Amino acid sequence: MKRFLIGASLAGMLAATPALADGKIYVQLPDLSGITGTEAEEFLHQVVLANIVSSNCVGYEVSEEDWSLLTDSADILSHQMGLTTDQYVETYETPAFNALDEAGTCEIEGPTVEPILQRLVELGGSRDPLPDQEAAYIEWRALQDYWDAGGTGMPPAVEPTGKSKTK
């Protein structure tokens, strides 16, 4: 009976926590605001290809944290560039998937995954999970809402009011 109660309590606690339905691990993302124009186009191509290769080529798999760093960085770059979903898929994702059909892609592109991850870290990203995953999820959703409302890039920083919360 005690096991049932413990199991029921655990199930209840899990049900009460906010669902991070995708099971995604959130990491510190890089500052990509200085990457524009042709450089942004080339880097987005590299990041998307690194994601596709690391997800499909044996021996070049990455951790969930690395996967988040790659995919979220691609999202940021594509929104900075003002790409629609169709443009992103047509120009970056489809060519990356098509590359998998070419002989030698895994062997040629696989070794580039690690340097791309290192560059994202040099730009301020991290390969470690953020300590407060719930807060990171809320921030990511806010960013998604900003983009859904037509914003591009990262939202403008909120200026501090100089007021502090007190009771």
Side-chain angles (χ1 to χ4, degrees), residues 89-165:
V89 168
E90 182 180 323
T91 307
Y92 297 94
E93 204 169 70
T94 299
F97 277 111
N98 289 342
L100 290 177
D101 294 333
E102 298 172 19
T105 295
C106 289
E107 295 77 16
I108 294 167
E109 298 298 336
T112 68
V113 172
E114 184 61 29
I116 291 165
L117 285 163
Q118 289 175 2
R119 182 169 180 207
L120 291 169
V121 168
E122 288 167 6
L123 292 166
S126 175
R127 298 169 84 169
D128 298 320
L130 288 167
D132 188 343
Q133 289 289 297
E134 183 179 339
Y137 170 77
I138 291 167
E139 287 178 23
W140 183 249
R141 284 304 322 144
L143 181 57
Q144 295 287 322
D145 291 343
Y146 171 75
W147 289 335
D148 289 346
T152 58
M154 301 301 280
V158 177
E159 294 298 321
T161 61
K163 297 179 182 176
S164 61
K165 286 187 173 182

Side-chain angles (χ1 to χ4, degrees), residues 32-115:
L32 302 171
S33 61
I35 301 176
T36 59
T38 304
E39 182 186 8
E41 293 170 7
E42 291 171 6
F43 193 44
L44 181 55
H45 171 73
Q46 293 169 354
V47 170
V48 172
L49 188 58
N51 175 39
I52 300 301
V53 165
S54 67
S55 297
N56 292 282
C57 295
V58 175
Y60 299 103
E61 300 90 352
V62 296
S63 68
E64 290 180 50
E65 293 85 352
D66 290 346
W67 179 83
S68 287
L69 183 58
L70 288 169
T71 59
D72 293 351
S73 294
D75 282 347
I76 291 169
L77 282 168
S78 69
H79 282 91
Q80 275 181 195
M81 295 165 58
L83 298 175
T84 65
T85 300
D86 290 342
Q87 290 169 325
Y88 173 81
V89 168
E90 182 180 323
T91 307
Y92 297 94
E93 204 169 70
T94 299
F97 277 111
N98 289 342
L100 290 177
D101 294 333
E102 298 172 19
T105 295
C106 289
E107 295 77 16
I108 294 167
E109 298 298 336
T112 68
V113 172
E114 184 61 29

